[in-house]
Amino acid sequence: MPSPRLIAVIPAFNEQSTVGAVVADVRRCSPEPVEVVVVDDGSADDTAAVAAAAGAVVLRFPVNMGYGAALRLGFRYAASRPWDHALVLDADGQHVAAEIPALVAACESGADLALGSRFHPDCPSPYPVSRSRRLAIRLAGRVLRLRRGVALTDPTSGFWALSRPGVELFSRHLPSGYLDNLLGLSIAARAGLAVQEVPVAMAPRQGGRPSNQGASLVYHYARTLLAVFIGGRS
């Protein structure tokens, strides 16, 4: 069996209804042999068993540690493995595996972090999102542009392809909390990594529920944007 050319990291929390299909789709759509790693973030359901049955390597936290912590564990595993490019996807079916080749192609063209954007001008159709969330995403983009000089239309997207320098950076420095993919972009830009957006289609959430909503979502956006803003330009 050939060595994997790609490794896919999928954080999952109570995603038994969708994670198996996500793993299968990643394996089917990846342009190169792929190792799929599901990080079960303290799920109370059968997420780990379903992911393993679908062919994924499963890493587990005994309790829920948060999205950022799950990603960092996946990156630490990935940093120890041989591969050419890494992927990050959600376990809820929102990220369309058929878009993986476009993200990988961006990395092959020189990007250290290729970000799948729902709102890129070249997207064929607008992605439905509430007005309040869209405003928050635009604000996040403005803060990143101001503080890091990176212009992004979808900075909260968690659909990524990465080079090895990106994975090694995040395995050491990615914070452990909600929206820490946004902080990850700030860290990547500060470290001088090349960040590029790629227009992609995304699907509505196929199962589970959002990590945060309402007042909790506002709090986490405010906390994360403040962390990016006070980090300065250096």
Side-chain angles (χ1 to χ4, degrees):
M1 182 177 178
S3 299
R5 300 289 301 278
L6 298 171
I7 189 165
V9 177
I10 305 175
F13 176 60
N14 292 337
E15 305 282 7
Q16 66 176 15
S17 65
T18 56
V19 68
V22 170
V23 172
D25 284 347
V26 170
R27 298 178 70 186
R28 176 174 54 84
C29 295
S30 294
E32 305 284 355
V34 61
E35 179 177 13
V36 182
V37 181
V38 171
V39 183
D40 178 18
D41 188 18
S43 297
D45 63 5
D46 290 330
T47 292
V50 172
V57 173
V58 178
L59 310 178
R60 300 190 70 181
F61 282 129
V63 297
N64 182 247
M65 298 294 290
Y67 178 82
L71 267 186
R72 190 168 61 193
L73 177 61
F75 287 142
R76 286 178 176 174
Y77 175 87
S80 69
R81 304 287 290 166
W83 46 266
D84 294 330
H85 300 99
L87 304 166
V88 176
L89 304 91
D90 288 349
D92 60 10
Q94 183 181 25
H95 297 151
V96 178
E99 301 286 4
I100 288 173
L103 294 177
V104 172
C107 282
E108 290 176 340
S109 297
D112 291 305
L113 193 161
L115 174 77
S117 171
R118 299 162 284 184
F119 309 122
H120 193 281
D122 293 338
C123 286
S125 59
Y127 184 85
V129 66
S130 69
R131 184 171 181 271
S132 59
R133 188 179 287 266
R134 184 61 181 267
L135 288 173
I137 291 170
R138 286 176 176 171
L139 176 60
R142 289 173 182 171
V143 171
L144 273 176
R145 185 171 64 249
L146 174 66
R147 307 308 285 175
R148 296 287 177 242
V150 179
L152 300 172
T153 62
D154 196 2
T156 63
S157 169
F159 193 13
W160 294 355
L162 302 104
S163 66
R164 185 166 289 276
V167 168
E168 291 177 349
L169 176 69
F170 292 144
S171 71
R172 299 188 303 270
H173 298 300
L174 189 71
S176 55
Y178 181 66
L179 282 177
D180 283 339
N181 53 338
L182 176 56
L183 280 177
L185 291 174
S186 178
I187 291 168
R190 186 172 185 173
L193 300 188
V195 179
Q196 177 183 336
E197 270 194 324
V198 177
V200 298
M202 290 195 194
R205 176 184 292 273
Q206 303 299 300
R209 59 182 182 178
S211 301
N212 289 277
Q213 302 181 71
S216 177
L217 181 65
V218 172
Y219 164 77
H220 284 289
Y221 264 106
R223 178 189 66 84
T224 304
L225 291 178
L226 180 62
V228 173
F229 192 84
I230 66 177
R233 296 179 183 272
S234 61

